[in-house]
Amino acid sequence: MKSGLLALGAMASSILLVFLGVAQSQQPVRRPGFVDEAPRSAIQYVSNNSFAGRKYFPQPMCGGVAVFDFDNDGRLDIFFTNGASLPELKKKDPSFYNCLLHQKKDGTFEDVTAKSGLAGADLDFNFGVAVGDFDNDGFEDLFLCSIGRNALYHNNGNGTFTDVTASSGIGGKPPNTLSIAAAWFDSDNDGLLDLIVSNYTLWSPKTDARCMMSDRDYYCDPRRYPSVPHRLYRNLGGGKFADVTEKSGFAAAPGKGMGVSVADFNDDGWMDVFIANDTEPNSIFLNRKNGTFEEQGLALGVAYNENAHVGSSMGSDAKDFNNDGKVDIFYNNLMGQIWQLLRNRGDMFEYYSSISRIQKLSMAYSGWSTGFIDYNNDGWKDIYSANGDVDMMSPKSPQHDTMFENVDGKSFADVSEEMGKGFLRKGYQRGSAFGDLNNDGALDIVTTSLNETPRILRNTADTGNHWLMLNLIGHKSARDAIGAKVKLTTGSGRSLYNHVAVSTGFMSSSDKRVHFGLGRDTKISAVEIAWPSGVHQTLRNVPPDQQLVIEEALK
């Protein structure tokens, strides 16, 4: 069987030697931390939500992040969305512009926004960003969510982007719809990425409800605003899209969408969609393989928390946290509410927050973006959360982030205090994205904080554990291979699971490469890949501690 396996040359070889040396010395496993490397770069970007005392409803939702390689030079770059002046809803000066940072060879970042055409000066208040190669030309494109006009930017392959929203047919939506997040995925397995947009409500400065107590503004309860349908756009090819929200079934289940996670939850070879809805029942849309989806949140146990209540569901991620081969769900909430870990039993989801200690560990925090991230490369996916409360005038509102370490797939321990000073910076954290910024095999974090510069948190990667990174390239499947499932079997017989997933957390997009921590295992017996097209590939006796590009077999 043709594998199309390509090693990344001398760099991978040198990394391999370093990590094998650590393994042979049998040093004890160490816990890594994170160092904020943003100060090394002259970053001018600040997530500007136009907060000046008067509280407008969308203000707390600002600062989406994308980590992706826009110029295919092998180094991840960073994109940030930004807000707009209120109540005008205009990016009236550069302090509100979106931002693209290009990573240089020395690991620092340079601002290339002006050259790239991504400032978005003609847009209004932007929220989420979705990364995906919608035309399969080998360069990643961007979709931006907004209060007003959403925007689709085509990557021209020369460091510039072109706004193709009008010609694509992807920008239409009811006026004043707050589109918060989006995710690219191949809903019909035709090899072209479609787009799901997580919509929140209808809002404008004119309809903004002002809530006051003792002559003090506070943010109104979201239940004062109507729910709206999430929208599905089908990729027709040739840069054209069709709005299939009605006929696909998404219109039948409106919500107040925040986090959106795409995965094959029932393992039938077709991708499904989970959406975390704020103060509304959460939704899971099962793919019926005929262009339609059926909302099954209540039946599958994801609509409410274990107390049968709705919460302020924020960011979400869908990964297999206990390595049983089934994709689980996590979403966070405001402090005092249950951050929900949902274990996939195969027939439905089981409430696992109390059993795993997540409920106890998280009660003091308000979480926004989140993600399953094996930060210490031990083979178990940990849970990161970007935290900070809503009320930007309360002394308890600035919070530090949290890292809940996965203990053998059964419970979690709070190791946040050991993650370093940069990790523990208090603020109003919002967006976050994950990726191996320096290609050392350890996942790094980029996160935004309202009205502050972002943090670029480099993983110190000093555990001595082994790893493998896979960059999957589709041919019959969409080139980005979003949804491709990977099972890795180590030499000691451990089975590890992951899949290509870009939409993680809140308003953000992460590195599409599939990451595996291997613990102390120095051998990989097999890597099994199930592509969205139905093609299956198996690679055997793969050396660890390297990045591999794996192309979908042509057959």
Side-chain angles (χ1 to χ4, degrees):
M1 179 182 295
K2 179 181 177 182
S3 67
L5 183 151
L6 300 172
L8 292 186
M11 180 185 68
S13 300
S14 63
I15 294 174
L16 176 62
L17 291 174
V18 171
F19 274 76
L20 286 178
V22 173
Q24 291 166 356
S25 68
Q26 295 298 311
Q27 294 180 12
V29 175
R30 299 176 294 276
R31 178 170 283 137
F34 292 86
V35 176
D36 184 8
E37 296 207 331
R40 292 182 59 212
S41 305
I43 299 173
Q44 300 299 313
Y45 167 86
V46 170
S47 55
N48 188 348
N49 69 344
S50 192
F51 181 70
R54 168 73 162 94
K55 293 183 176 179
Y56 291 94
F57 184 71
Q59 281 173 332
M61 300 180 286
C62 183
V65 188
V67 170
F68 72 121
D69 184 1
F70 80 88
D71 57 351
N72 291 345
D73 65 355
R75 297 183 296 273
L76 292 177
D77 310 299
I78 306 172
F79 177 80
F80 300 103
T81 67
N82 216 338
S85 61
L86 293 168
E88 302 92 341
L89 277 181
K90 301 289 186 182
K91 292 185 185 294
K92 62 181 183 179
D93 62 62
S95 71
F96 293 102
Y97 287 177
N98 302 322
C99 177
L100 179 64
L101 299 179
H102 175 252
Q103 185 176 177
K104 298 189 293 185
K105 291 181 179 180
D106 64 359
T108 62
F109 292 84
E110 59 180 337
D111 191 325
V112 295
T113 309
K115 176 185 175 182
S116 71
L118 289 175
D122 60 332
L123 301 176
D124 52 43
F125 203 114
N126 293 127
F127 299 110
V129 52
V131 176
D133 182 3
F134 74 82
D135 58 352
N136 292 327
D137 67 351
F139 291 91
E140 300 295 334
D141 311 300
L142 298 180
F143 177 84
L144 306 189
C145 300
S146 306
I147 289 176
R149 179 175 73 87
N150 295 334
L152 178 64
Y153 286 96
H154 177 258
N155 188 333
N156 300 318
N158 60 0
T160 68
F161 291 75
T162 299
D163 186 339
V164 296
T165 314
S167 62
S168 70
I170 209 169
K173 63 178 181 178
N176 302 322
T177 299
L178 271 65
S179 297
I180 301 299
W184 294 99
F185 75 118
D186 189 353
S187 69
D188 50 4
N189 286 348
D190 66 350
L192 297 171
L193 291 181
D194 310 302
L195 185 74
I196 179 68
V197 180
S198 174
N199 288 329
Y200 190 98
T201 192
L202 302 176
W203 179 91
S204 74
K206 292 182 179 180
T207 62
D208 183 68
R210 190 169 190 182
C211 295
M212 302 188 71
M213 181 180 295
S214 301
D215 296 323
R216 180 173 174 266
D217 272 348
Y218 66 95
Y219 290 109
C220 297
D221 191 308
R223 286 169 285 197
R224 295 189 62 146
Y225 293 94
S227 302
V228 292
H230 313 299
R231 307 202 78 80
L232 179 64
Y233 299 91
R234 183 174 178 233
N235 192 335
L236 304 177
K240 303 293 183 182
F241 292 80
D243 187 337
V244 294
T245 304
E246 295 289 338
K247 66 180 183 180
S248 67
F250 277 91
K256 290 189 174 73
M258 301 280 267
V260 53
S261 300
V262 176
D264 182 5
F265 293 110
N266 55 2
D267 202 27
D268 65 353
W270 295 71
M271 280 174 273
D272 313 299
V273 179
F274 171 81
I275 296 181
N277 290 311
D278 187 3
T279 68
E280 300 279 348
N282 300 312
S283 300
I284 188 166
F285 295 89
L286 293 186
N287 195 325
R288 293 309 182 198
K289 312 176 190 178
N290 59 2
T292 68
F293 290 76
E294 184 177 359
E295 203 288 305
Q296 290 283 294
L298 182 60
L300 295 181
V302 307
Y304 300 93
N305 65 25
E306 52 200 86
N307 295 326
H309 295 155
V310 297
S312 302
S313 304
M314 302 293 202
S316 67
D317 197 10
K319 300 275 174 46
D320 181 2
F321 81 89
N322 57 351
N323 288 325
D324 66 353
K326 295 182 282 291
V327 180
D328 311 298
I329 295 172
F330 177 79
Y331 64 90
N332 48 21
N333 264 307
L334 296 181
M335 55 184 171
Q337 300 177 359
I338 298 175
W339 291 17
Q340 202 61 255
L341 179 61
L342 298 166
R343 178 177 174 266
N344 189 342
R345 299 190 329 195
D347 57 343
M348 66 178 299
F349 289 83
E350 173 187 8
Y351 300 118
Y352 213 70
S353 295
S354 178
I355 299 171
S356 64
R357 301 185 70 240
I358 288 293
Q359 181 172 343
K360 179 179 180 180
L361 297 176
S362 65
M363 288 298 261
Y365 301 99
S366 291
W368 291 78
S369 195
T370 188
F372 286 110
I373 166 177
D374 184 1
Y375 86 99
N376 57 359
N377 282 346
D378 67 352
W380 299 105
K381 299 177 188 68
D382 314 296
I383 296 177
Y384 164 83
S385 180
N387 303 325
D389 202 33
V390 176
D391 188 347
M392 288 173 280
M393 296 179 70
S394 168
K396 294 183 179 181
S397 292
Q399 298 176 354
H400 64 70
D401 298 343
T402 47
M403 184 69 77
F404 298 152
E405 186 173 297
N406 189 334
V407 182
D408 298 331
K410 298 176 182 178
S411 65
F412 289 81
D414 188 346
V415 297
S416 309
E417 295 291 338
E418 300 177 57
M419 295 296 99
K421 184 174 72 171
F423 185 95
L424 292 171
R425 188 183 86 179
K426 290 186 177 181
Y428 303 94
Q429 276 70 256
R430 290 305 184 254
S432 69
F434 315 102
D436 185 359
L437 293 172
N438 55 354
N439 292 319
D440 66 350
L443 293 179
D444 309 301
I445 304 170
V446 180
T447 185
T448 60
S449 301
L450 294 181
N451 302 308
E452 292 187 89
T453 55
R455 284 172 297 153
I456 301 174
L457 298 172
R458 180 181 57 82
N459 192 323
T460 58
D462 59 355
T463 65
N465 287 333
H466 299 279
W467 56 274
L468 184 70
M469 190 86 73
L470 305 176
N471 185 7
L472 303 187
I473 306 296
H475 291 295
K476 186 177 180 182
S477 302
R479 184 177 176 85
D480 279 351
I482 291 172
K485 293 178 278 190
V486 185
K487 177 184 178 181
L488 184 150
T489 304
T490 70
S492 66
R494 290 182 73 188
S495 294
L496 308 175
Y497 299 86
N498 210 338
H499 60 273
V500 180
V502 176
S503 175
T504 56
F506 177 63
M507 304 190 303
S508 301
S509 292
S510 292
D511 184 2
K512 76 181 187 71
R513 293 177 295 178
V514 182
H515 171 262
F516 286 96
L518 306 176
R520 308 308 268 183
D521 271 299
T522 60
K523 295 182 179 179
I524 299 170
S525 299
V527 175
E528 302 170 60
I529 304 168
W531 299 83
S533 66
V535 171
H536 286 75
Q537 285 174 258
T538 300
L539 313 174
R540 301 199 181 276
N541 300 318
V542 177
D545 304 320
Q546 63 173 318
Q547 299 182 53
L548 299 177
V549 175
I550 303 177
E551 298 196 18
E552 183 178 16
L554 299 174
K555 63 176 186 178

